Amino acid sequence: MKKLLALGLAATIAVAGVGALAGCTQGDDELTVGFIALHDDNSTYDKNFLDAIREACANKGIDQDHLIIRTGIDETQECYDAAADLVDQGCDVIFADSFGHQDYIKKAAQEFPEVEFCHATGTQAHIAGLDNLHNAFASIYEGRYLAGVAAGMKLVEMYNADKLEPKNFDANNNIKIGYVGAYTYAEVISGYTSFYLGAKSIVDEELAAEGISLSMEVQFTGSWFDETAERNAANTLISNGAALISQHADSMGAPSACELARVPNVSYNGSTASACPNTFIVSSRINWVPYFEYMIDCVKNGTAIDKDWTGTLDNSAVVLTEVGAAAAAGTQAKIDEVKAQLQNGSLKVFDCSKFTLTKTDTLNVNATIDSDGHLTSYKPSVDIEGAEAVVDGAFSESTLRSAPYFDIQIDGITLLNSKF
């Protein structure tokens, strides 16, 4: 039935004069890649993936007729239907880019064992018992930490130049910053915490003698891509006195709000320098080209794809954009210095001596905390039963599996809304 449906769809497209799917049949000798995106190029998140799969296919000699991209695919049965359709069109490997796609990709992998299915940010490949289901992510928390370092440099510059207002400080004389988050998933929590720790490391280093540290408020939107909600969240944070804002959300809502209010901004998944020349500092992102090239090579060569692939700074899967004009002097040099420390292991993003936890916080129920509030052990509760995340005094993110599992609420970060 699915085969007939697919043939009917292909015939409809041909009649409509759309040629993007021409040549994508199971009879072709060349490898065919299928791609499922939650949104399209208007989403910074999806655009980052889409640019990468196009580049990787070009690098590997796969022409456009053998790359079938489906955009705007919801995290519903529509995802399974898209995957089944891509199988019917002869795809040898299919990649889906959103966390909510995973149950439907798993279902497709069960039904079509001859096709490889790869999925970003997923958590099930290592426990599903399916040879053709794979997850991939990257240590983007390290990139966010470096972006936080750039933010900290800017905050210190603003403080020394007397450009911070009384509203930019909390009751404890900490500089206030803000963060626009999509959901209260571990991926988002890990990201905003690492960003905060990177910024705090610089503020504490430079302004401790002044009795100045850093606090951060997080406003969630309940959506990966909602320009109005993201703009409103940024404006709420600005009204609350945030001196700088970053985000884990996929539209230009927050950066544009910052540009209008002249509040420095650290974006995600790409530079906003052209749209926000007065406020853009830097952006971190996952470079998916290395994974897609690896994925394609494995399928071409008949070798197994890793169940959980984690990209790093070392293989250029975690990258930062150029430093923007709004960044503080010396920012690039400081980023390079800290990056080297992360790569040689002398610095750990989640060094447990660098943050404390409130024992009564419900998000810390799996944590063991000493009398000083420091994390001494942590048992991730989702799909990693019995695993210990704290190793040598630091939380080891994205090592037990590729997808993030740091879902701990540390002191210094306040959630303005946490229903999502």
Side-chain angles (χ1 to χ4, degrees):
M1 177 62 73
K2 279 187 283 294
K3 175 66 71 177
L4 292 174
L5 178 63
L7 291 174
L9 176 62
T12 300
I13 291 172
V15 169
V18 179
L21 304 184
C24 297
T25 66
Q26 288 180 319
D28 287 329
D29 293 330
E30 186 175 358
L31 184 148
T32 300
V33 177
F35 193 95
I36 296 173
L38 179 61
H39 299 111
D40 56 23
D41 287 286
N42 291 308
S43 159
T44 57
Y45 175 83
D46 295 275
K47 179 175 171 53
N48 187 49
F49 279 101
L50 292 166
D51 287 347
I53 192 64
R54 291 165 182 143
E55 180 179 343
C57 284
N59 292 345
K60 291 299 176 178
I62 297 174
D63 62 42
Q64 63 178 358
D65 288 340
H66 289 267
L67 170 61
I68 313 175
I69 296 175
R70 297 289 303 276
T71 60
I73 305 301
D74 289 338
E75 297 165 321
T76 63
Q77 178 67 21
E78 182 181 6
C79 177
Y80 169 80
D81 293 341
D85 178 56
L86 290 171
V87 171
D88 282 341
Q89 293 186 58
C91 290
D92 302 283
V93 58
I94 296 169
F95 185 94
D97 75 0
S98 189
F99 179 78
H101 287 147
Q102 70 173 340
D103 288 342
Y104 307 100
I105 291 301
K106 178 181 176 182
K107 179 181 176 182
Q110 290 171 322
E111 184 162 347
F112 306 108
E114 74 281 7
V115 176
E116 300 296 329
F117 290 87
C118 302
H119 177 234
T121 79
T123 63
Q124 297 184 16
H126 68 292
I127 60 172
L130 298 171
D131 291 340
N132 64 327
L133 181 63
H134 318 277
N135 289 146
F137 203 65
S139 58
I140 189 58
Y141 66 94
E142 293 181 312
R144 288 195 184 276
Y145 186 92
L146 292 173
V149 166
M153 294 285 288
K154 183 63 178 181
L155 294 169
V156 170
E157 179 188 70
M158 293 169 72
Y159 178 84
N160 289 334
D162 200 26
K163 291 185 177 180
L164 295 176
E165 303 175 27
K167 70 176 184 178
N168 299 136
F169 295 85
D170 65 17
N172 297 315
N173 205 34
N174 299 315
I175 300 173
K176 294 172 63 175
I177 61 174
Y179 198 98
V180 176
Y183 294 97
T184 52
Y185 295 161
E187 180 183 347
V188 179
I189 296 171
S190 175
Y192 70 59
T193 305
S194 51
F195 171 78
Y196 168 76
L197 290 172
K200 188 175 185 293
S201 70
I202 300 299
V203 172
D204 287 352
E205 177 183 327
E206 298 294 330
L207 300 180
E210 305 282 342
I212 304 294
S213 189
L214 189 69
S215 65
M216 185 171 79
E217 293 182 338
V218 181
Q219 180 80 7
F220 296 98
T221 64
S223 172
W224 292 118
F225 183 82
D226 187 326
E227 187 161 2
T228 299
E230 292 164 37
R231 181 184 300 107
N232 290 342
N235 285 330
T236 295
L237 295 165
I238 292 168
S239 296
N240 286 355
L244 179 147
I245 288 176
S246 189
Q247 70 186 72
H248 189 157
D250 301 337
S251 82
M252 285 293 295
S256 62
C258 289
E259 181 72 5
L260 185 62
R262 292 296 191 266
V263 172
N265 177 257
V266 173
S267 59
Y268 183 50
N269 274 327
S271 173
T272 61
S274 59
C276 306
N278 299 296
T279 55
F280 171 70
I281 296 175
V282 76
S283 174
S284 61
R285 70 180 182 92
I286 297 176
N287 172 23
W288 283 98
V289 174
Y291 179 72
F292 290 147
E293 291 185 346
Y294 159 78
M295 176 187 79
I296 290 167
D297 283 342
C298 285
V299 178
K300 280 187 172 182
N301 299 330
T303 55
I305 302 172
D306 284 349
K307 284 296 178 188
D308 270 289
W309 182 93
T310 304
T312 64
L313 290 167
D314 289 336
N315 64 15
S316 299
V318 177
V319 296
L320 268 66
T321 64
E322 78 288 351
V323 169
T331 295
Q332 187 61 62
K334 190 65 176 179
I335 288 174
D336 293 342
E337 174 190 333
V338 177
K339 179 181 177 182
Q341 294 171 349
L342 290 171
Q343 289 181 284
N344 66 30
S346 62
L347 173 65
K348 300 291 186 182
V349 169
F350 295 115
D351 180 341
C352 297
S353 69
K354 302 299 184 182
F355 60 88
T356 59
L357 296 84
T358 301
K359 293 184 179 181
T360 57
D361 194 301
T362 57
L363 291 179
N364 300 329
V365 293
N366 296 313
T368 301
I369 309 166
D370 65 20
S371 59
D372 295 322
H374 292 298
L375 182 68
T376 59
S377 69
Y378 189 74
K379 305 289 187 183
S381 59
V382 181
D383 297 340
I384 320 174
E385 184 177 354
E388 173 57 67
V390 177
V391 178
D392 296 331
F395 188 103
S396 297
E397 177 70 302
S398 293
T399 56
L400 299 173
R401 72 177 186 209
S402 57
Y405 40 86
F406 186 98
D407 57 358
I408 306 170
Q409 184 64 21
I410 73 170
D411 295 333
I413 301 176
T414 301
L415 309 184
L416 297 184
N417 62 333
S418 56
K419 64 181 179 179
F420 303 112

